């Protein structure tokens, strides 16, 4: 693991914190009736849908993502993220 390489390089264990990255899948264990249509209306099925989940921080490419979305009018974009 990455944490092992930091420890091998001399980082003290007490200064290392490992946090899970990702999604709590239990939140999505039950499908909503109607799927995306339930959330965004049935027109969401009229064209391809691209869903992004992740950080919206500038260094992660948030501006690139929004620019791409604005240029691809034939695709639905659902962008879900935080700082």
């Amino acid at each position: 693991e990455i944490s092992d390489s930091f420890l091998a390089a001399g980082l003290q264990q007490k200064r290392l914190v490992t946090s899970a990255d990702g999604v709590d899948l239990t939140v999505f264990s039950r499908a909503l009736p109607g799927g995306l249509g339930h959330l965004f209306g049935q027109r969401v099925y009229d064209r391809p849908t691209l869903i992004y989940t992740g950080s919206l921080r500038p260094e992660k490419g948030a501006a690139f993502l929004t620019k791409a979305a604005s240029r691809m009018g034939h695709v639905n974009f659902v962008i879900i993220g935080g700082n």
Side-chain angles (χ1 to χ4, degrees), residues 51-72:
I51 301 174
Y52 169 83
T53 61
S55 176
L56 297 177
R57 298 178 64 100
E59 64 270 19
K60 297 293 187 176
F64 174 81
L65 181 64
T66 55
K67 186 179 283 188
S70 71
R71 293 181 179 185
M72 298 179 68

Side-chain angles (χ1 to χ4, degrees), residues 20-68:
D21 187 23
V23 175
D24 178 0
L25 295 177
T26 61
V27 173
F28 302 98
S29 62
R30 182 178 57 86
L32 292 173
L36 287 176
H38 174 76
L39 297 172
F40 301 104
Q42 292 301 310
R43 294 192 58 195
V44 76
Y45 299 114
D46 292 346
R47 55 189 178 180
T49 299
L50 185 140
I51 301 174
Y52 169 83
T53 61
S55 176
L56 297 177
R57 298 178 64 100
E59 64 270 19
K60 297 293 187 176
F64 174 81
L65 181 64
T66 55
K67 186 179 283 188

